Amino acid sequence: MRIVVILAFLGIIGSLASALVYLMRDKGGTNRTVNALTVRIGLSIALFLFVLFAHHMGWIQSTGIIAR
């Protein structure tokens, strides 16, 4: 479970880094920055839905937040 989440985070960070590189190189001339950010959003949504599904299936347990 941790491996899947870590790989998803690495993919999200990699997509964000590539968007930055494309933004600096292309100066807004191409759609590569938009495509990289779209991939990042897709990966973030997929990770969120996967965590919800894993919680529903009982693969992970919520610990709650203790407010004092």
Side-chain angles (χ1 to χ4, degrees):
M1 191 58 151
R2 288 182 180 169
I3 293 173
V4 172
V5 173
I6 290 171
L7 288 176
F9 274 131
L10 289 176
I12 291 167
I13 291 171
S15 178
L16 189 61
S18 68
L20 177 64
V21 170
Y22 294 148
L23 181 66
M24 299 305 272
R25 282 189 187 165
D26 296 342
K27 306 285 188 212
T30 64
N31 287 335
R32 294 194 303 177
T33 303
V34 174
N35 292 339
L37 292 175
T38 303
V39 168
R40 183 189 64 87
I41 290 170
L43 287 173
S44 298
I45 291 171
L47 177 62
F48 179 73
L49 292 175
F50 178 72
V51 169
L52 284 178
F53 178 72
H55 182 266
H56 177 71
M57 295 298 291
W59 298 339
I60 58 175
Q61 301 295 324
S62 61
T63 57
I65 298 174
I66 300 173
R68 294 184 183 183

